[in-house]
Amino acid sequence: MSKTITLAFTGASGLPYGLRTLECLLAAGCTVRLVYTQVAQIVAKQELDLSWPSRAADLAEVLRAQYQLADPEQLQVYGQQEWFAPMASGSNPGDGMVVVPCTMGALSAIANGASDNLLERAADVMIKERKTLIIVPRETPFSAIHLENMLKLAKLGVVILPPNPGFYHHPTQVSDLVDFVVARILDQLQVAHQLMKRWGE
């Protein structure tokens, strides 16, 4: 049975992790509810030379064409103020959520229950409904404030998954390092993948 996953892009560096996660979720047949920040648009241009439109509906069309989706409803895209999005309510949370990459600002807001925009509210819903929430924090080094916020979330059952790739699979290109992290994200969501061999194989 296919899963419904909320995927959030913030303005942290590391958008290749987010886009690869999106690609793999769609390939696995998941329905993806994507929410993105304005700063994520800037990061898309800076890191990947992608010019994303500001309107969520326009970005949805761009991404659906890019991934050649037969069913346009498989990918739904929402802006930060779309409070009628399904994941804004505990009555329709979906199966899990990933914030990748996650800024320390978004991390702080989620840890403290701010719920000032759709991304924060969707994460808040995941926590209160005891659904899988994965935070991929992209910052280094971490301050004590960052670590305290992560600990607070971890105690609530949130998965803190820093994008720290291993090297035992002998990566030869950047995409191998990205896939290592995305594989860990998909494992936490219990979404099947063939991104890399597992330890001992």
Side-chain angles (χ1 to χ4, degrees), residues 8-76:
F9 298 159
T10 73
S13 178
L15 191 59
Y17 294 116
L19 282 177
R20 183 62 167 151
T21 302
L22 173 61
E23 179 182 8
C24 291
L25 288 173
L26 294 173
C30 297
T31 296
V32 179
R33 299 165 173 171
L34 175 64
V35 57
Y36 66 104
T37 69
Q38 268 191 320
V39 185
Q41 289 178 258
I42 297 172
V43 174
K45 181 63 176 176
Q46 184 178 24
E47 292 189 343
L48 299 168
D49 201 27
L50 297 173
S51 297
W52 281 354
S54 296
R55 290 182 65 246
D58 295 335
L59 179 57
E61 290 303 313
V62 169
L63 294 174
R64 287 166 184 159
Q66 179 179 338
Y67 296 112
Q68 300 179 337
L69 298 181
D71 178 8
E73 289 304 305
Q74 189 185 357
L75 175 60
Q76 304 153 21

Side-chain angles (χ1 to χ4, degrees), residues 114-149:
S115 292
D116 286 335
N117 54 50
L118 179 58
L119 188 158
E120 295 165 12
R121 171 58 183 169
D124 194 48
V125 166
M126 289 289 136
I127 294 170
K128 79 182 186 72
E129 298 297 328
R130 300 183 184 276
K131 299 282 187 176
T132 300
L133 173 59
I134 303 167
I135 302 291
V136 184
R138 232 307 304 151
E139 184 62 273
T140 191
F142 293 131
S143 73
I145 295 171
H146 304 153
L147 293 169
E148 286 173 358
N149 284 331

Side-chain angles (χ1 to χ4, degrees), residues 20 24 179 183 186-187 191-198 201:
R20 183 62 167 151
C24 291
D179 280 357
L186 297 176
D187 286 347
V191 172
H193 64 85
Q194 300 292 326
L195 290 180
M196 57 177 293
K197 290 183 178 180
R198 298 185 181 278
E201 291 182 351

Side-chain angles (χ1 to χ4, degrees), residues 89-105:
S89 171
S91 67
N92 196 2
D95 299 297
M97 178 175 178
V98 188
V99 185
V100 54
C102 185
T103 63
M104 295 302 99

